[in-house]
């Protein structure tokens, strides 16, 4: 007599299929979870992907600047969050707008805690033209949460030099001058210390991986 329609056999088959599907879902979920987690990377791996960390992170001293909202920008402004600092100027024809747009795209892809405590600051290397008002019309164009910073020339130069990003005005160009400056993006940790820098040219995928790795290393 055929047992093809034996209720017990059918239940056994359904149970086996359910167990196999459950196992497959657990494996897939575990894989997806691991993919989403930060990965511990060696210094060599970080550098190969464009991030150079300070060992140990560096306290770069006192400074007193002003942001595009007219508020003081001091060492306390860099504490309790991760800060990406880019040195540029509003009259820059290419590197600066490209980098600012890149940073807007970068923070737009962050999620959770990373999105909540990551800040972007553009420090002007052209204070003669980059007034508070000028920055207020430029920086929020890329992202309303970005902060533009200016100040006295010597104060800005000392600040930039402390972060290994000196700049200089290109001579012989009259009023329509350019400023040579680094396209690297500096990383400041929640203590307000110089944590490292992302070396130009910037790559979105590599920067996401190394940024997460740097935060993971800091937390552990």
């Amino acid at each position: 007599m055929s047992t093809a329609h034996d209720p017990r056999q059918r239940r056994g088959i359904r149970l086996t299929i359910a167990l196999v599907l459950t196992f497959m879902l657990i494996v897939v979920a575990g894989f997806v979870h691991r993919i989403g987690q930060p990965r511990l990377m060696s210094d060599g791996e970080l550098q190969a992907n464009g991030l150079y960390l300070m060992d140990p992170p560096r306290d770069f001293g006192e400074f007193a600047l002003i942001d595009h909202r007219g508020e003081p920008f001091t060492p306390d402004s860099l504490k309790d969050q991760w800060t990406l600092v880019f040195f540029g100027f509003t009259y820059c024809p290419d590197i600066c707008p490209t980098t600012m747009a890149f940073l807007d795209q970068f923070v737009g892809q962050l999620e959770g805690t990373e999105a909540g405590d990551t800040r972007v600051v553009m420090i002007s290397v052209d204070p003669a033209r980059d007034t508070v008002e000028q920055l207020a019309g430029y920086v929020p164009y890329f992202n309303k949460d970005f902060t533009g910073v200016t100040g006295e020339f010597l104060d800005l130069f000392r600040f930039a030099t402390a972060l290994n990003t000196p700049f200089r005005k290109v001579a012989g160009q009259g009023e329509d001058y350019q400023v040579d400056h680094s396209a690297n993006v500096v990383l400041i940790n929640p203590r307000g210390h110089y944590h490292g820098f992302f070396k130009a040219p910037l790559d979105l995928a590599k920067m996401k991986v190394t940024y997460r790795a740097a935060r993971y290393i800091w937390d552990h």
Side-chain angles (χ1 to χ4, degrees):
M1 180 177 178
S2 173
T3 59
H5 300 290
D6 186 335
R8 288 176 298 178
Q9 186 179 24
R10 291 199 297 271
R11 284 197 299 272
I13 292 172
R14 287 198 295 269
L15 179 60
T16 299
I17 293 173
L19 289 173
V20 170
L21 289 175
T22 300
F23 175 76
M24 292 175 64
L25 286 172
I26 291 173
V27 171
V28 171
F31 176 76
V32 171
H33 178 73
R34 287 194 298 274
I35 289 295
Q37 294 303 300
R39 185 169 69 86
L40 184 61
M41 301 174 73
S42 67
D43 286 345
E45 288 179 300
L46 290 170
Q47 292 175 15
N49 286 283
L51 175 59
Y52 293 75
L53 297 182
M54 300 292 107
D55 186 19
R58 184 189 307 167
D59 181 353
F60 48 92
E62 295 295 317
F63 56 88
L65 304 171
I66 186 168
D67 71 21
H68 77 268
R69 303 174 186 91
E71 299 294 328
F73 189 82
T74 66
D76 286 341
S77 304
L78 295 173
K79 293 180 179 178
D80 302 322
Q81 77 249 325
W82 289 88
T83 308
L84 302 172
V85 175
F86 171 66
F87 288 84
F89 62 112
T90 63
Y91 287 82
C92 177
D94 41 36
I95 294 176
C96 301
T98 299
T99 303
M100 293 289 280
F102 173 92
L103 291 173
D104 175 57
Q105 185 181 10
F106 175 78
V107 298
Q109 295 191 14
L110 299 179
E111 298 178 352
T113 302
E114 291 177 0
D117 67 3
T118 299
R119 184 182 185 192
V120 173
V121 175
M122 189 189 92
I123 307 290
S124 175
V125 297
D126 183 20
R129 293 182 294 188
D130 286 346
T131 61
V132 168
E133 293 75 19
Q134 178 73 10
L135 287 174
Y138 180 86
V139 174
Y141 171 80
F142 297 95
N143 188 304
K144 64 181 180 60
D145 294 323
F146 285 7
T147 297
V149 173
T150 189
E152 297 296 326
F153 175 83
L154 286 179
D155 294 333
L156 290 166
F157 190 80
R158 291 191 192 100
F159 184 80
T161 302
L163 295 175
N164 296 332
T165 52
F167 58 88
R168 69 178 184 87
K169 178 180 176 181
V170 178
Q173 295 186 335
E175 293 299 316
D176 191 27
Y177 60 86
Q178 296 297 309
V179 181
D180 281 342
H181 62 94
S182 171
N184 294 340
V185 172
V186 174
L187 179 62
I188 307 296
N189 66 37
R191 291 180 183 167
H193 293 169
Y194 178 21
H195 201 76
F197 65 92
F198 297 92
K199 185 175 177 60
L202 304 173
D203 179 277
L204 186 61
K206 291 180 179 179
M207 188 167 170
K208 285 172 61 179
V209 170
T210 53
Y211 179 55
R212 298 194 75 189
R215 291 176 59 115
Y216 181 82
I217 293 169
W218 168 267
D219 289 336
H220 293 81

